[in-house]
């Protein structure tokens, strides 16, 4: 809710924040363009299965509701447009937490602790590793080259999928582990803000100094939510992909109930039709695409904010 409230404040258009509203709108269109471009790479370049999932969904919808039509290009376009819009909203919600995490990363790199520096670098570049795991040319094809023996004899294609999801959970655990140090760096930023106020030529009262420190302490909860928001979304997406039946961890899908002729006028029949209209491949492609996109957005936004903050300093 804190992330949504911060995002919602950007749309309260005033003379002071009109630039932020324009930035959010332009960012939404930019991410929508990137999402549509990434779906064009599905297949040999990206292992997300959007084309197969969308085509199966449209075909199943046509079979259930309009058997005379085998496929509908308009329906395919609308479903893919929904994918683009959902990923754009997800990226915009990630913008403010990414900015906060980037500030914490810079603060950790400025500290004297070598352990914090190493952990900060690992957590910063971990989303890039997760992004590359869904690109077959640099990940799966390296381990399972055509007409050649696997790079590791014990590694199977299913085992590779398990390792890929396991790394997602490992990233979530690592993020939770470094949250404490990130919040501590945020609290230390109050001293840096006080130094900036002292450097101003105008006269600053002691009450203003105290307000700056108190405001930093009061927003610790918001900072914790912003640090844990990517972890929560990634963990939910990984659990959904794991539980959809694509891997051996979960059981097979139950067959859709058959509809009898004497149930045509009931509400249960309509609900069963809707249930049978959504194949499992669609849900798998939806979750896989959003999982890959969220990892990609984490690294992209953090990199952009890192360049911005470096230039601002």
């Amino acid at each position: 809710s804190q992330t949504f409230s911060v995002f919602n404040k950007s749309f309260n258009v005033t003379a002071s924040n009109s630039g932020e509203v324009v930035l959010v709108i332009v960012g939404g269109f930019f991410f929508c363009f990137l999402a549509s471009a990434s779906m064009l790479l599905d297949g040999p370049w990206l292992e997300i299965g959007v084309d197969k999932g969308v085509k199966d969904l449209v075909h199943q919808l046509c079979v259930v509701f309009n058997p005379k039509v085998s496929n509908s290009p308009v329906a395919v376009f609308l479903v893919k447009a929904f994918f683009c819009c959902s990923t754009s909203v997800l990226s915009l919600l990630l913008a403010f937490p990414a900015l906060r995490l980037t500030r914490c990363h810079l603060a950790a790199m400025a500290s004297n602790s070598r352990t914090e520096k190493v952990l900060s670098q690992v957590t910063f570049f971990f989303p890039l590793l997760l992004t590359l795991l869904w690109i077959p040319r640099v990940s799966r094809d390296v381990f399972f080259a055509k007409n050649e023996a696997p790079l590791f004899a014990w590694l199977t294609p299913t085992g590779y999928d398990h390792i890929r999801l396991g790394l997602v959970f490992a990233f979530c655990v690592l993020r939770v582990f470094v949250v404490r140090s990130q919040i501590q760096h945020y609290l230390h930023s109050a001293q840096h803000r006080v130094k900036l106020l002292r450097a101003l030529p105008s006269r600053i009262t002691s009450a203003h100094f105290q307000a700056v420190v108190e405001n930093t302490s009061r927003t610790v909860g918001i900072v914790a939510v912003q640090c844990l928001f990517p972890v929560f979304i990634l963990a939910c997406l990984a659990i959904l992909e794991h539980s959809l039946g694509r891997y051996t961890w979960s059981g097979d899908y139950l067959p859709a109930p058959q509809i009898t002729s004497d149930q045509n006028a009931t509400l249960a029949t309509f609900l069963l039709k809707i249930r049978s209209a959504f194949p499992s491949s669609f849900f798998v492609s939806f979750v896989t695409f959003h999982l890959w996109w969220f990892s990609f957005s984490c690294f992209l936004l953090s990199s952009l904010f890192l360049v911005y903050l470096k230039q601002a300093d």
Side-chain angles (χ1 to χ4, degrees), residues 259-260 263-274:
I259 303 174
T260 59
Q263 295 176 334
N264 291 332
T266 63
L267 177 62
T269 304
F270 179 73
L271 295 177
L272 291 178
K273 282 185 177 182
I274 294 179

Side-chain angles (χ1 to χ4, degrees), residues 57-294:
L57 172 66
V58 174
H59 175 72
Q60 195 68 20
L61 287 173
C62 293
V63 169
V64 174
F65 296 102
N66 192 2
K68 296 181 180 180
V69 181
S70 60
N71 199 355
S72 176
V74 177
V76 173
F77 171 77
L78 291 177
V79 175
K80 289 189 176 182
F82 169 72
F83 273 51
C84 294
C85 293
S86 61
T87 51
S88 299
V89 173
L90 196 63
S91 298
L92 291 177
L93 290 176
L94 183 62
F96 297 105
L99 178 60
R100 177 64 59 196
L101 291 172
T102 305
R103 291 183 182 275
C104 294
H105 170 71
L106 291 176
M109 296 305 298
S111 64
N112 297 324
S113 176
R114 182 174 299 179
T115 303
E116 289 187 2
K117 291 182 179 180
V118 172
L119 289 177
S120 181
Q121 290 282 22
V122 171
T123 55
F124 185 84
F125 288 101
F126 213 119
L128 176 61
L129 173 63
L130 297 180
T131 302
L132 296 177
L133 289 177
W134 270 269
I135 302 178
R137 298 294 179 90
V138 297
S139 57
R140 186 183 291 273
D141 292 349
V142 175
F143 296 100
F144 306 101
K146 294 182 179 179
N147 302 323
E148 295 182 9
L151 187 60
F152 300 102
W154 53 268
L155 185 62
T156 61
T158 305
Y160 175 80
D161 295 335
H162 285 243
I163 293 175
R164 189 163 57 182
L165 274 181
L167 287 175
V168 176
F169 289 114
F171 172 68
C172 296
V173 173
L174 183 61
R175 277 287 195 188
V176 173
F177 180 74
V178 300
V179 162
R180 179 180 176 276
S181 62
Q182 290 175 343
I183 295 177
Q184 190 63 42
H185 286 304
Y186 173 73
L187 292 175
H188 290 165
S189 67
Q191 183 179 2
H192 177 68
R193 295 178 183 178
V194 169
K195 291 181 179 178
L196 293 179
L197 289 176
R198 288 176 178 174
L200 294 176
S202 59
R203 184 176 180 180
I204 305 298
T205 62
S206 59
H208 190 48
F209 278 108
Q210 185 177 1
V212 171
V213 177
E214 289 181 353
N215 185 46
T216 304
S217 302
R218 290 172 182 173
T219 55
V220 170
I222 298 177
V223 174
V225 171
Q226 290 179 342
C227 293
L228 293 176
F229 174 74
V231 177
F232 175 76
I233 297 297
L234 271 178
C236 290
L237 291 174
I239 292 172
L240 281 175
E241 185 174 356
H242 147 272
S243 62
L244 280 173
R246 185 178 180 181
Y247 309 105
T248 57
W249 298 358
S250 57
D252 298 331
Y253 276 98
L254 294 175
Q258 299 296 327
I259 303 174
T260 59
S261 58
D262 58 344
Q263 295 176 334
N264 291 332
T266 63
L267 177 62
T269 304
F270 179 73
L271 295 177
L272 291 178
K273 282 185 177 182
I274 294 179
R275 178 183 176 183
S276 61
F278 292 90
S280 59
S281 59
F282 167 73
F283 292 107
V284 171
S285 64
F286 180 83
V287 174
T288 303
F289 178 63
H290 282 73
L291 178 59
W292 175 83
W293 178 262
F294 196 81

